[in-house]
Amino acid sequence: MAGNAVMIVSIEEAISLLRAGHVVALPTETVYGLAASIHDPRAINNIFEVKNRPASNPLIVHIGSPNMLPLFARFIPKYVYKLTDAFWPGGLTIVLKKNSTISGDVCAGQDTVALRMPGNEIFLKILAETNTPLAAPSANPSQRISSTHHQHVESLFSSRVPVVAGGSCRVGIESTIIDATNNDLIEILRPGAISAQDIEAVSNIKCKTREGNFISPGSSKKHYSPLKKTFLVSNQLINKKINIFLNHAIIISRTLKFLPGKVINMPLKPEHYAKKIYDSLIQADSMDGDSIIIEQPPQTSRWHYINDRLKRAAHKIL
Ligand code: TXA
Ligand code: MG
């Protein structure tokens, strides 16, 4: 890649680069990922370096079919195949007890492996052609906002990482992660567009959100953060203090009317809102204003995964 300033690469170039042990940013339906072959320890190490990610934080392994699960997992509860039938390819990452064929670096030394078949044609084609599972964390430096468009990847990593241009991600928020290491309980480690109710309905197994210290190693409280001070604010408080906020802040809102340069309008439905939220946070960071005010969306279960990310993005909840 030396001397080549344009870092958009074709699918064929991405395949050659991955085979040669490079890290390549690829689109998925949730967010862009920084992909590398799980069989290349140097490339895996580069992912951690490029992202500035602690070695203790394991990577998701992306595979092309549920048939590959037994290659990596030593114990697969029956309900897992009901879930893959219903949700793969798609935004469900399944954590299983790992077997010894998978490198400790990818799994950060844990006894488990996280697996997902992504719902994106480009990614699936690359998985099929390289014939290699690809580890891929979200394409953002640790703690920053995930990329949901190839332009985000380009601006975050400039000439350091080649990217396949897949346009906007269809879902826009990272996959739901479940711990499926038990026969009779599923635990959500990170909420996503696929909800606990969806999972229970398909699996017939109780599904609850894991609280406390044993959540995903990457689920630190601060995450997905804009550079500007960011506040999550109730609709009532925004209306009360609107003139103060308009003086110095960018407001991300579903209900205020459009004020160019001041308000970024958000869609009313959760799935449309999810698709736009990271782009809006990145846009707000680049606009004139010293802080970002996000209007709190409804606190219902359909908004749960979005509220989870907004709470992490915010420096404070008002
Ligand atoms: O939608 C997604 O999941 C995207 C796309 C690119 O697939 N990937 C993604 O990767 O969000 P990342 O690395 O940004 O977030 C993965 C999360 C991290 O919090 C990590 O700690 C957790 O998954 N994780 C990975 N392996 C795990 C394991 N074996 N047990 C528990 N958590 C795990
Ligand atoms: Mg991430």
Side-chain angles (χ1 to χ4, degrees):
M1 300 305 298
N4 186 357
V6 180
M7 292 303 276
I8 301 267
V9 293
S10 66
I11 293 177
E12 287 67 33
E13 286 169 320
I15 291 166
S16 310
L17 286 164
L18 288 163
R19 282 191 181 131
H22 290 271
V23 174
V24 182
L26 302 179
T28 84
E29 82 284 31
T30 56
V31 299
Y32 276 70
L34 289 179
S37 162
I38 62 159
H39 299 308
D40 190 326
R42 214 171 35 110
I44 296 298
N45 192 42
N46 278 345
I47 291 182
F48 284 91
E49 232 176 83
V50 170
K51 254 187 92 88
N52 194 18
R53 180 179 178 114
S56 58
N57 193 354
L59 306 176
I60 295 173
V61 175
H62 296 71
I63 53 179
S65 157
N67 299 336
M68 297 174 80
L69 287 174
L71 295 178
F72 303 105
R74 66 169 193 270
F75 169 61
I76 306 173
K78 279 206 184 81
Y79 64 77
V80 164
Y81 289 107
K82 291 189 190 168
L83 294 174
T84 57
D85 276 352
F87 300 120
W88 279 12
L92 182 70
T93 296
I94 304 178
V95 173
L96 293 164
K97 290 270 181 219
K98 85 176 183 72
N99 64 25
S100 54
T101 54
I102 179 139
S103 131
D105 290 352
V106 172
C107 302
Q110 308 223 7
D111 188 34
T112 53
V113 57
L115 295 148
R116 157 165 130 84
M117 178 181 179
N120 175 286
E121 290 304 315
I122 296 175
F123 205 121
L124 289 174
K125 182 165 189 226
I126 292 173
L127 281 173
E129 298 272 322
T130 54
N131 202 17
T132 305
L134 297 171
S138 53
N140 54 291
S142 270
Q143 314 251 305
R144 297 288 304 283
I145 301 164
S146 300
S147 298
T148 52
H149 194 284
H150 56 267
Q151 283 163 357
H152 300 157
V153 182
E154 277 191 292
S155 66
L156 283 170
F157 295 102
S158 54
S159 59
R160 288 191 301 153
V161 182
V163 57
V164 175
S168 289
C169 297
R170 187 164 43 78
V171 177
I173 284 187
E174 300 84 347
S175 61
T176 305
I177 303 180
I178 56 167
D179 180 324
T181 56
N182 293 304
N183 267 327
D184 47 9
L185 175 68
I186 301 172
E187 289 183 284
I188 294 194
L189 306 182
R190 179 178 70 184
I194 297 170
S195 68
Q197 291 93 311
D198 298 334
I199 291 166
E200 262 182 13
V202 166
S203 64
N204 265 320
I205 301 285
K206 187 172 169 43
C207 177
K208 68 176 184 64
T209 299
R210 189 181 296 176
E211 311 284 354
N213 293 328
F214 296 101
I215 50 174
S216 259
S219 294
S220 63
K221 217 165 164 216
K222 184 163 172 295
H223 219 95
Y224 317 101
S225 298
L227 296 173
K228 286 192 170 94
K229 278 271 172 214
T230 300
F231 302 91
L232 190 55
V233 184
S234 71
N235 172 280
Q236 295 88 317
L237 191 60
I238 293 195
N239 283 317
K240 207 164 137 198
K241 299 205 168 174
I242 184 73
N243 289 328
I244 302 171
F245 289 151
L246 283 174
N247 267 338
H248 64 87
I250 311 299
I251 306 178
I252 296 179
S253 161
R254 292 167 69 241
T255 61
L256 288 180
K257 73 174 188 326
F258 181 61
L259 289 168
K262 293 286 179 191
V263 177
I264 298 175
N265 280 93
M266 295 301 289
L268 291 175
K269 288 195 173 160
E271 56 277 21
H272 299 159
Y273 187 109
K275 185 173 169 159
K276 209 184 150 194
I277 184 60
Y278 289 157
D279 185 62
S280 299
L281 288 169
I282 292 167
Q283 195 189 333
D285 239 352
S286 72
M287 287 161 69
D288 250 359
D290 55 22
S291 54
I292 301 171
I293 303 286
I294 308 170
E295 179 191 61
Q296 173 100 64
Q299 308 256 30
T300 59
S301 61
R302 292 178 65 218
W303 288 86
H304 174 63
Y305 68 116
I306 296 169
N307 281 313
D308 170 79
R309 302 309 193 277
L310 294 180
K311 278 185 202 140
R312 292 174 203 280
H315 297 91
K316 211 170 174 187
I317 301 172
L318 298 179

